[in-house]
Amino acid sequence: MTMETVSTAKAHGGTQGVYRHRSTTTGTDMTFAVFVPAHDPGERLPVLWFLSGLTCTHANVMDKGEYRRACAEHRIVFVAPDTSPRGEGVADDPAYDMGQGAGFYVDATEEPWAPHFRMRTYIEDELPALIGSEFPVDPDRQAITGHSMGGHGALTIGLRHPDRFRSVTAFAPIVAPGQVPWGEKALGGYLGDDRSTWRAHDAVALIEDGARRPDLLVDQGEADQFLDEQLRPELLAAACAAAGIDLTLRMQPGYDHSYLGVSTFMADHVAWAAERLGKAT
């Protein structure tokens, strides 16, 4: 895989870069951002993946997420992929919650999405292989987080891969896409009408079906305009309680769905990850 450097800049003693490569999974060019803290030659650092939400690219968290100071302090690499394939010939939809910018971190099986919308494989397999070959990361010390649709992605990927990710957190996640309008539209469109195939992409359903983690951290704004209809954190709380998963659900008074909330609590999520990532084993 050939990687092109789009831009680099120094920040908090490390390097914030934007990169592009041709993905064999999506059949498109894919752009992503990586922050690498200062480190010793040959040193391998833990990595925190951040998955973004509807309409976003890598740039949203890079510009608004305020993660670099905390990642520099804890010496954690921060990787921010795009949310979907893009470009000429890639299927799209006029609505913001379907198509380009709204990949939902699934491998689509339905037309017209199946040829390019393979974000599950891209995030779980192809991009980690590229990051591992091009950046000083320790593959045995990985964490994942995300916002909204990306919170859904972080929870589901973390639950499906408990041995890969030592830390799983989320900001205002879609916890039960099979039970809310955003998720029903996206999962139905990408995966078809058989709801049994949706369960691998639904955090609450995964827990109901036996997925386990020792703990989870979720920050959710109480003034979030999508809270009651689309996000439903009480469903995750009930599933975790029944499964014995230690969920720290922090309902934050006054915070909405924007990156103002994400940036406010980002350092807490980096610190939570750092505590669990620890030193190399």
Short mmCIF file of all heavy atoms in Angstrom, two decimals, residues 49-85:
data_model
loop_
_atom_site.label_atom_id
_atom_site.label_comp_id
_atom_site.label_asym_id
_atom_site.label_seq_id
_atom_site.Cartn_x
_atom_site.Cartn_y
_atom_site.Cartn_z
N TRP A 49 -7.91 5.07 18.30
CA TRP A 49 -8.69 5.30 17.08
C TRP A 49 -9.90 6.16 17.42
O TRP A 49 -10.60 5.89 18.41
CB TRP A 49 -9.16 3.97 16.50
CG TRP A 49 -8.05 3.08 16.03
CD1 TRP A 49 -7.29 2.24 16.81
CD2 TRP A 49 -7.56 2.96 14.71
NE1 TRP A 49 -6.36 1.60 16.03
CE2 TRP A 49 -6.50 2.01 14.74
CE3 TRP A 49 -7.91 3.53 13.49
CZ2 TRP A 49 -5.80 1.65 13.61
CZ3 TRP A 49 -7.21 3.17 12.35
CH2 TRP A 49 -6.18 2.24 12.41
N PHE A 50 -10.17 7.16 16.58
CA PHE A 50 -11.36 7.99 16.75
C PHE A 50 -12.21 7.89 15.49
O PHE A 50 -11.77 8.24 14.39
CB PHE A 50 -11.00 9.46 16.99
CG PHE A 50 -12.21 10.34 17.21
CD1 PHE A 50 -12.69 10.57 18.49
CD2 PHE A 50 -12.89 10.90 16.14
CE1 PHE A 50 -13.82 11.35 18.70
CE2 PHE A 50 -14.01 11.69 16.33
CZ PHE A 50 -14.48 11.91 17.61
N LEU A 51 -13.47 7.44 15.65
CA LEU A 51 -14.40 7.31 14.54
C LEU A 51 -15.41 8.45 14.60
O LEU A 51 -16.05 8.67 15.61
CB LEU A 51 -15.13 5.97 14.60
CG LEU A 51 -14.22 4.72 14.65
CD1 LEU A 51 -15.07 3.46 14.59
CD2 LEU A 51 -13.19 4.74 13.53
N SER A 52 -15.53 9.16 13.49
CA SER A 52 -16.38 10.36 13.44
C SER A 52 -17.82 10.03 13.08
O SER A 52 -18.14 8.91 12.68
CB SER A 52 -15.80 11.36 12.44
OG SER A 52 -14.55 11.85 12.91
N GLY A 53 -18.67 11.05 13.18
CA GLY A 53 -20.10 10.88 12.99
C GLY A 53 -20.60 11.32 11.62
O GLY A 53 -19.81 11.65 10.71
N LEU A 54 -21.91 11.33 11.48
CA LEU A 54 -22.57 11.67 10.22
C LEU A 54 -22.08 13.00 9.67
O LEU A 54 -21.95 13.98 10.41
CB LEU A 54 -24.08 11.73 10.43
CG LEU A 54 -24.79 10.40 10.67
CD1 LEU A 54 -26.20 10.65 11.20
CD2 LEU A 54 -24.83 9.57 9.40
N THR A 55 -21.84 13.02 8.37
CA THR A 55 -21.40 14.18 7.57
C THR A 55 -19.94 14.52 7.77
O THR A 55 -19.43 15.40 7.08
CB THR A 55 -22.24 15.46 7.82
OG1 THR A 55 -21.87 16.06 9.06
CG2 THR A 55 -23.73 15.16 7.81
N CYS A 56 -19.24 13.86 8.67
CA CYS A 56 -17.88 14.27 9.02
C CYS A 56 -16.82 13.60 8.14
O CYS A 56 -17.06 12.57 7.51
CB CYS A 56 -17.58 13.93 10.47
SG CYS A 56 -18.53 14.91 11.66
N THR A 57 -15.64 14.21 8.14
CA THR A 57 -14.42 13.61 7.60
C THR A 57 -13.40 13.54 8.73
O THR A 57 -13.73 13.83 9.89
CB THR A 57 -13.84 14.46 6.45
OG1 THR A 57 -13.31 15.68 7.00
CG2 THR A 57 -14.90 14.79 5.41
N HIS A 58 -12.17 13.20 8.40
CA HIS A 58 -11.09 13.22 9.39
C HIS A 58 -10.91 14.61 9.99
O HIS A 58 -10.41 14.76 11.11
CB HIS A 58 -9.77 12.79 8.73
CG HIS A 58 -9.30 13.82 7.73
ND1 HIS A 58 -9.83 13.92 6.46
CD2 HIS A 58 -8.39 14.82 7.84
CE1 HIS A 58 -9.25 14.93 5.83
NE2 HIS A 58 -8.37 15.50 6.64
N ALA A 59 -11.29 15.65 9.22
CA ALA A 59 -10.95 17.02 9.60
C ALA A 59 -11.76 17.53 10.79
O ALA A 59 -11.30 18.43 11.49
CB ALA A 59 -11.15 17.96 8.40
N ASN A 60 -12.94 16.99 11.02
CA ASN A 60 -13.78 17.53 12.10
C ASN A 60 -13.12 17.39 13.46
O ASN A 60 -12.99 18.36 14.20
CB ASN A 60 -15.15 16.85 12.09
CG ASN A 60 -15.94 17.17 10.85
OD1 ASN A 60 -15.67 16.60 9.78
ND2 ASN A 60 -16.90 18.07 10.94
N VAL A 61 -12.68 16.18 13.78
CA VAL A 61 -12.04 16.02 15.08
C VAL A 61 -10.65 16.63 15.08
O VAL A 61 -10.18 17.15 16.10
CB VAL A 61 -11.99 14.53 15.49
CG1 VAL A 61 -11.01 13.73 14.63
CG2 VAL A 61 -11.65 14.39 16.97
N MET A 62 -9.97 16.62 13.94
CA MET A 62 -8.64 17.21 13.87
C MET A 62 -8.70 18.70 14.16
O MET A 62 -7.82 19.25 14.85
CB MET A 62 -8.03 16.96 12.49
CG MET A 62 -6.56 17.33 12.40
SD MET A 62 -5.83 16.98 10.78
CE MET A 62 -6.51 18.33 9.81
N ASP A 63 -9.73 19.37 13.67
CA ASP A 63 -9.85 20.81 13.86
C ASP A 63 -10.55 21.20 15.16
O ASP A 63 -10.30 22.28 15.70
CB ASP A 63 -10.62 21.42 12.68
CG ASP A 63 -9.87 21.31 11.37
OD1 ASP A 63 -8.64 21.06 11.40
OD2 ASP A 63 -10.51 21.46 10.31
N LYS A 64 -11.45 20.33 15.67
CA LYS A 64 -12.30 20.72 16.79
C LYS A 64 -12.17 19.83 18.03
O LYS A 64 -12.74 20.15 19.08
CB LYS A 64 -13.78 20.69 16.35
CG LYS A 64 -14.11 21.55 15.15
CD LYS A 64 -15.55 21.32 14.72
CE LYS A 64 -15.90 22.08 13.45
NZ LYS A 64 -17.30 21.81 13.01
N GLY A 65 -11.44 18.74 17.92
CA GLY A 65 -11.47 17.73 18.99
C GLY A 65 -10.57 18.00 20.18
O GLY A 65 -10.76 17.41 21.25
N GLU A 66 -9.55 18.83 20.01
CA GLU A 66 -8.67 19.21 21.12
C GLU A 66 -8.06 17.99 21.84
O GLU A 66 -8.05 17.90 23.05
CB GLU A 66 -9.40 20.12 22.11
CG GLU A 66 -9.89 21.42 21.47
CD GLU A 66 -10.54 22.37 22.47
OE1 GLU A 66 -10.27 22.25 23.68
OE2 GLU A 66 -11.32 23.24 22.03
N TYR A 67 -7.52 17.07 21.06
CA TYR A 67 -6.95 15.85 21.61
C TYR A 67 -5.43 15.89 21.72
O TYR A 67 -4.83 15.08 22.43
CB TYR A 67 -7.33 14.64 20.72
CG TYR A 67 -6.95 14.81 19.27
CD1 TYR A 67 -5.68 14.49 18.81
CD2 TYR A 67 -7.87 15.29 18.35
CE1 TYR A 67 -5.33 14.66 17.49
CE2 TYR A 67 -7.54 15.46 17.02
CZ TYR A 67 -6.26 15.15 16.60
OH TYR A 67 -5.92 15.32 15.28
N ARG A 68 -4.77 16.79 21.01
CA ARG A 68 -3.32 16.70 20.87
C ARG A 68 -2.57 16.89 22.19
O ARG A 68 -1.59 16.19 22.45
CB ARG A 68 -2.83 17.68 19.80
CG ARG A 68 -3.04 17.16 18.39
CD ARG A 68 -2.72 18.20 17.34
NE ARG A 68 -3.76 19.20 17.26
CZ ARG A 68 -4.78 19.15 16.40
NH1 ARG A 68 -4.89 18.14 15.54
NH2 ARG A 68 -5.69 20.11 16.39
N ARG A 69 -2.99 17.85 23.02
CA ARG A 69 -2.29 18.06 24.28
C ARG A 69 -2.35 16.79 25.14
O ARG A 69 -1.34 16.36 25.71
CB ARG A 69 -2.89 19.24 25.04
CG ARG A 69 -2.16 19.55 26.36
CD ARG A 69 -2.83 20.68 27.12
NE ARG A 69 -2.76 21.93 26.38
CZ ARG A 69 -1.72 22.75 26.40
NH1 ARG A 69 -0.64 22.44 27.11
NH2 ARG A 69 -1.76 23.88 25.70
N ALA A 70 -3.53 16.20 25.25
CA ALA A 70 -3.68 14.99 26.07
C ALA A 70 -2.91 13.82 25.47
O ALA A 70 -2.28 13.05 26.20
CB ALA A 70 -5.16 14.64 26.21
N CYS A 71 -2.95 13.67 24.15
CA CYS A 71 -2.22 12.57 23.52
C CYS A 71 -0.71 12.75 23.66
O CYS A 71 0.03 11.78 23.83
CB CYS A 71 -2.61 12.44 22.06
SG CYS A 71 -4.24 11.72 21.80
N ALA A 72 -0.23 14.00 23.60
CA ALA A 72 1.18 14.27 23.82
C ALA A 72 1.57 13.93 25.26
O ALA A 72 2.63 13.34 25.51
CB ALA A 72 1.50 15.72 23.49
N GLU A 73 0.71 14.31 26.21
CA GLU A 73 0.99 14.05 27.62
C GLU A 73 1.09 12.56 27.90
O GLU A 73 1.98 12.10 28.62
CB GLU A 73 -0.09 14.68 28.49
CG GLU A 73 0.04 14.38 29.97
CD GLU A 73 -1.13 14.89 30.79
OE1 GLU A 73 -1.95 15.68 30.25
OE2 GLU A 73 -1.22 14.50 31.98
N HIS A 74 0.15 11.79 27.33
CA HIS A 74 0.11 10.35 27.60
C HIS A 74 0.88 9.55 26.55
O HIS A 74 0.94 8.32 26.66
CB HIS A 74 -1.35 9.88 27.64
CG HIS A 74 -2.12 10.42 28.81
ND1 HIS A 74 -1.93 9.98 30.09
CD2 HIS A 74 -3.08 11.40 28.87
CE1 HIS A 74 -2.75 10.63 30.91
NE2 HIS A 74 -3.45 11.49 30.20
N ARG A 75 1.42 10.24 25.54
CA ARG A 75 2.22 9.61 24.49
C ARG A 75 1.43 8.51 23.79
O ARG A 75 1.82 7.35 23.74
CB ARG A 75 3.54 9.11 25.08
CG ARG A 75 4.31 10.25 25.77
CD ARG A 75 5.57 9.83 26.47
NE ARG A 75 6.63 9.55 25.52
CZ ARG A 75 7.11 8.35 25.25
NH1 ARG A 75 6.61 7.30 25.87
NH2 ARG A 75 8.09 8.19 24.39
N ILE A 76 0.30 8.94 23.22
CA ILE A 76 -0.61 8.06 22.48
C ILE A 76 -0.77 8.59 21.06
O ILE A 76 -1.04 9.77 20.85
CB ILE A 76 -1.98 8.00 23.18
CG1 ILE A 76 -1.86 7.31 24.55
CG2 ILE A 76 -3.01 7.29 22.31
CD1 ILE A 76 -3.15 7.32 25.34
N VAL A 77 -0.62 7.72 20.08
CA VAL A 77 -0.91 8.06 18.69
C VAL A 77 -2.42 8.13 18.51
O VAL A 77 -3.16 7.27 19.02
CB VAL A 77 -0.29 7.01 17.74
CG1 VAL A 77 -0.71 7.27 16.30
CG2 VAL A 77 1.23 7.00 17.87
N PHE A 78 -2.89 9.13 17.77
CA PHE A 78 -4.32 9.35 17.56
C PHE A 78 -4.60 9.23 16.07
O PHE A 78 -4.00 9.95 15.26
CB PHE A 78 -4.70 10.74 18.06
CG PHE A 78 -6.17 11.06 18.10
CD1 PHE A 78 -6.89 10.91 19.26
CD2 PHE A 78 -6.82 11.54 16.97
CE1 PHE A 78 -8.25 11.23 19.32
CE2 PHE A 78 -8.16 11.87 17.01
CZ PHE A 78 -8.89 11.70 18.19
N VAL A 79 -5.48 8.32 15.68
CA VAL A 79 -5.80 8.07 14.27
C VAL A 79 -7.27 8.40 14.02
O VAL A 79 -8.15 7.90 14.71
CB VAL A 79 -5.52 6.61 13.88
CG1 VAL A 79 -5.85 6.39 12.40
CG2 VAL A 79 -4.07 6.24 14.17
N ALA A 80 -7.53 9.23 13.00
CA ALA A 80 -8.89 9.65 12.66
C ALA A 80 -9.18 9.34 11.20
O ALA A 80 -8.77 10.10 10.31
CB ALA A 80 -9.08 11.13 12.94
N PRO A 81 -9.86 8.24 10.89
CA PRO A 81 -10.22 7.92 9.51
C PRO A 81 -11.40 8.77 9.02
O PRO A 81 -12.04 9.49 9.79
CB PRO A 81 -10.63 6.45 9.59
CG PRO A 81 -10.31 5.99 10.97
CD PRO A 81 -10.27 7.20 11.83
N ASP A 82 -11.70 8.65 7.74
CA ASP A 82 -12.92 9.23 7.18
C ASP A 82 -14.10 8.34 7.55
O ASP A 82 -13.94 7.21 8.05
CB ASP A 82 -12.77 9.35 5.66
CG ASP A 82 -13.72 10.38 5.05
OD1 ASP A 82 -14.63 10.85 5.75
OD2 ASP A 82 -13.55 10.70 3.86
N THR A 83 -15.31 8.83 7.27
CA THR A 83 -16.53 8.11 7.64
C THR A 83 -17.11 7.26 6.52
O THR A 83 -18.07 6.52 6.75
CB THR A 83 -17.60 9.11 8.11
OG1 THR A 83 -17.75 10.11 7.11
CG2 THR A 83 -17.20 9.76 9.42
N SER A 84 -16.59 7.41 5.31
CA SER A 84 -17.14 6.65 4.18
C SER A 84 -16.22 6.78 2.99
O SER A 84 -15.35 7.66 2.96
CB SER A 84 -18.54 7.17 3.79
OG SER A 84 -18.41 8.38 3.04
N PRO A 85 -16.41 5.93 1.98
CA PRO A 85 -15.74 6.18 0.70
C PRO A 85 -16.34 7.42 0.04
O PRO A 85 -17.49 7.78 0.31
CB PRO A 85 -16.03 4.92 -0.10
CG PRO A 85 -17.31 4.39 0.47
CD PRO A 85 -17.27 4.74 1.93
#
